[in-house]
Amino acid sequence: MRALILGAVAAIAILASAPAFAWSCGGTVRGLSSHYNPATGSGFLAVRAGPRSSASQLGELFNGDEVTIVGQRGSWYRIDAEGVGLGWVFSRYIRSDC
């Protein structure tokens, strides 16, 4: 019985620490330059570790890439993208089906 209670307490602690998103929807990257230049930041959408341009870059997305939008903070979407995983992108470059 004690193990069952401890297991339930651990599960509640894990769920309480995870971010809660009440919705998700699809999106497509659009509006980027067709000329890739990492030195100037053109031709790709940086996926960042946090909702700010100074956050570390986790990966890159390109026009036509599909994402799942799982959250939003201001002008930033929290997304899940194949090959990149979870991260944040500036919402201006995502066409959402929400």
Side-chain angles (χ1 to χ4, degrees):
M1 180 67 163
R2 183 172 186 208
L4 182 61
I5 293 171
L6 290 175
V9 170
I12 291 169
I14 290 170
L15 290 174
S17 66
F21 300 114
W23 56 273
S24 70
C25 58
T28 306
V29 178
R30 53 105 178 129
L32 303 173
S33 170
S34 59
H35 301 288
Y36 179 78
N37 186 342
T40 63
S42 66
F44 68 95
L45 178 60
V47 179
R48 303 215 172 259
R52 59 194 183 284
S53 58
S54 62
S56 61
Q57 185 173 322
L58 303 175
E60 297 175 347
L61 296 173
F62 302 93
N63 284 323
D65 285 350
E66 301 286 327
V67 301
T68 300
I69 301 166
V70 297
Q72 183 174 6
R73 184 177 300 162
S75 297
W76 293 81
Y77 284 145
R78 175 129 167 110
I79 57 101
D80 188 6
E82 188 174 330
V84 179
L86 289 172
W88 293 87
V89 295
F90 195 66
S91 62
R92 174 181 179 183
Y93 300 102
I94 301 290
R95 176 174 291 135
S96 164
D97 65 11
C98 295

